[in-house]
Amino acid sequence: MKKAYRASLLRFDDAGLPVFDEDGLLVVAPDAAGRQRVVDAGSHAAVSPRHPDADVTHLPGRILAPGFVDMHIHFPQTDIIGAPSPGLLPWLENYTFPAESKFVDPAHSREVADVFFDELLRNGVTTSLTFATSHVASVDAFFEGAQRRRLRMITGKVLQDRNSPDGVRDQTEQSLIDTESLIRKWHNVDRLGYAITPRFAPTSTDAQMRGAGELAAKYGDTWIQSHVAENRDEVQWARELYPKSRSYLDVYAGFGLMRERAVYAHCIYIDDEDRRLMRETKTAAAVSPTSNLFLGSGFFDFGAADRIESPYGLASDVGGGTSFSPFHTMLAAYYVGRTTVEGIQTKAGLSIPPSRLWWHHTGGAARSLGLDGVVGNLQPGCEADFLVLNPAATPLLARKTKLANTLEELLFAMIVLGDDRLVERTVISQAG
Ligand code: GUN
Ligand code: ZN
């Protein structure tokens, strides 16, 4: 049965430029697997005559937009959002590791996973590349929850067999056995995907990193996720642990952990040679501006990434990040873009166009994850995970969005003033 939604419609072309139909029509129909996909999209006048059989839902005053894609988030850190700390390493020690140690308990894992999915969906995030913890129970709880909700979601067991306290530290050999079993159990089941997840180089032995690289080669369509070059003390620590590597990022390259579908959070203290390596290996950066501002980590260099054409997309990095809302993340990315930095890290200030910020949190993020044409857009063929936005959700939003003369002004009003109240409904491409 074909369904159609009539409202304003935002999507992106192949170049990542926005396409907006003031009076649009989105037509969806189930595929062979029973999953709703976009079959047609465009102006109501052009699309409607092609689908006289569609059951049309009219949503006046609303905007249909692709579900957001969060390229880096930690579901077990839901409860430690806003934990104050002088910086990354004490934050990990004092808040993160104690909170994550509780995920040895399957019931706790399930309870937090439920809260996490509710929060993602309320905020319009339909796909995320997600850290679990080092406990198998956390991965099972996450995938079970995502499967029940029929979401396209990616996670993996964290690998951390050194420099980690009791309660989160794992055992080298067992960690790799568990990773492979979890890949076999969950990867490509329904819309679920597995990510091989070394926490970061300082907390994995060479043997664990090597094993992760071997699994990444053996299961070539899995994801890889980790952290790199987020904080000066962390970079210094990695340099001491790997004195022979050209750079911190190069440590991962040496273990075969840079390839398509590999995503590294932060990438602040990297150079152009690292960026070229990312471009050549199709490895993406997950830019996490609320986290970087909150933890005082530094400022991602959008200009340098664009100049080198190294792939990246936006991410909340909850709980280092302070919000599940993509609107907050896009606004923080704009602030970070604005910021000029001189010194160890040097970058020029920019004014990133609102449609570009939006692309980097939807279709661009999906492309960086190797999911181009699957999620993050509303072009024909895409899975129909989409949002019904109410641009009049608050009095000020109503006023500002009505005053907008251009698409960029409209998008910027929503980025600057928006939060979960803008997301009236999150529609998931369900089976059946
Ligand atoms: N580096 C290693 N682990 C973490 C983490 O949990 N959060 C952040 N922001 N950085 C990390
Ligand atoms: Zn992170």
Side-chain angles (χ1 to χ4, degrees):
M1 179 62 191
K2 239 192 242 176
K3 284 194 229 171
Y5 300 84
R6 182 176 183 182
S8 295
L9 175 60
L10 174 68
R11 63 214 152 97
F12 294 89
D13 68 13
D14 284 348
L17 297 173
V19 180
F20 190 72
D21 294 289
E22 186 81 41
D23 180 14
L25 194 68
L26 180 71
V27 186
V28 306
D31 64 13
R35 203 173 286 156
Q36 299 283 354
R37 284 181 190 270
V38 177
V39 293
D40 208 347
S43 73
H44 179 265
V47 173
S48 160
R50 298 200 282 265
H51 306 279
D53 52 334
D55 176 18
V56 182
T57 304
H58 195 190
L59 300 161
R62 303 301 189 264
I63 300 170
L64 307 177
F68 288 104
V69 175
D70 192 327
M71 285 190 65
H72 179 81
I73 185 166
H74 300 250
F75 98 81
Q77 294 177 13
T78 300
D79 288 338
I80 58 158
I81 287 186
S85 180
L88 171 69
L89 300 178
W91 177 80
L92 287 173
E93 194 178 318
N94 296 327
Y95 291 104
T96 314
F97 294 152
E100 292 194 7
S101 68
K102 295 185 193 157
F103 287 74
V104 67
D105 173 9
H108 181 68
S109 297
R110 281 193 294 271
E111 196 261 327
V112 177
D114 273 339
V115 173
F116 175 83
F117 287 124
D118 287 349
E119 205 57 31
L120 279 190
L121 294 172
R122 245 168 27 75
N123 281 284
V125 177
T126 49
T127 290
S128 64
L129 175 59
T130 320
F131 264 59
T133 66
S134 55
H135 314 93
V136 169
S138 72
V139 179
D140 282 331
F142 181 93
F143 278 134
E144 282 158 15
Q147 191 174 41
R148 216 174 330 113
R149 290 172 169 81
R150 304 184 186 282
L151 301 174
R152 181 167 286 286
M153 283 286 160
I154 309 165
T155 196
K157 183 201 123 51
V158 174
L159 300 167
Q160 52 179 121
D161 65 348
R162 69 163 169 171
N163 295 325
S164 305
D166 291 351
V168 293
R169 192 179 59 257
D170 60 7
Q171 302 287 324
T172 314
E173 205 180 319
Q174 190 60 43
S175 72
L176 298 168
I177 292 170
D178 289 343
T179 296
E180 186 157 20
S181 317
L182 288 165
I183 292 172
R184 294 206 168 142
K185 182 171 178 186
W186 291 109
H187 186 57
N188 289 335
V189 172
D190 296 336
R191 292 206 290 165
L192 309 176
Y194 194 87
I196 295 162
T197 307
R199 178 165 215 119
F200 61 158
T203 52
S204 285
T205 59
D206 283 13
Q208 193 175 50
M209 293 285 270
R210 210 174 306 115
E214 284 163 12
L215 288 170
K218 182 169 175 186
Y219 299 96
D221 71 338
T222 55
W223 282 265
I224 298 167
Q225 58 178 348
S226 192
H227 300 87
V228 76
E230 170 179 7
N231 163 290
R232 287 198 178 112
D233 295 339
E234 172 217 10
V235 172
Q236 180 60 29
W237 190 20
R239 211 173 273 145
E240 285 162 19
L241 291 169
Y242 294 98
K244 292 196 190 122
S245 289
R246 194 202 71 80
S247 68
Y248 182 179
L249 187 69
D250 209 38
V251 173
Y252 296 103
F255 288 111
L257 292 166
M258 292 186 71
R259 61 148 164 78
E260 205 167 359
R261 296 195 167 193
V263 176
Y264 288 86
H266 310 301
C267 299
I268 293 171
Y269 302 98
I270 64 171
D271 61 15
D272 281 355
E273 203 165 327
D274 288 325
R275 293 184 185 97
R276 278 190 286 274
L277 181 63
M278 294 186 82
R279 183 189 61 207
E280 277 148 30
T281 56
K282 301 193 166 85
T283 296
V287 184
S288 309
T290 72
S291 171
N292 299 157
L293 295 170
F294 181 71
L295 290 173
S297 300
F299 303 85
F300 182 79
D301 193 338
F302 289 95
D306 286 342
R307 175 167 45 77
I308 307 271
E309 296 182 342
S310 56
Y312 67 89
L314 293 180
S316 66
D317 190 32
V318 161
T322 50
S323 175
F324 280 85
S325 174
F327 299 105
H328 289 181
T329 300
M330 291 188 286
L331 181 57
Y334 183 76
Y335 293 150
V336 167
R338 293 298 272 174
T339 309
T340 302
V341 185
E342 298 293 345
I344 295 174
Q345 189 200 354
T346 298
K347 70 184 273 290
L350 308 168
S351 173
I352 305 172
S355 62
R356 210 63 204 150
L357 295 167
W358 208 296
W359 160 252
H360 283 307
H361 220 339
T362 53
R367 186 172 286 178
S368 293
L369 288 175
L371 292 173
D372 200 16
V374 181
V375 290
N377 209 341
L378 292 175
Q379 299 291 30
C382 288
E383 294 170 356
D385 291 339
F386 64 93
L387 312 178
V388 180
L389 301 177
N390 178 6
T394 70
L396 192 55
L397 264 169
R399 199 173 162 82
K400 272 296 294 179
T401 54
K402 209 163 157 197
L403 285 169
N405 290 313
T406 64
L407 177 60
E408 294 298 333
E409 287 179 7
L410 174 67
L411 298 180
F412 219 176
M414 291 193 280
I415 288 171
V416 171
L417 300 174
D419 54 30
D420 51 312
R421 290 169 293 181
L422 247 176
V423 183
E424 190 167 88
R425 221 181 120 195
T426 301
V427 181
I428 296 301
S429 161
Q430 306 205 359

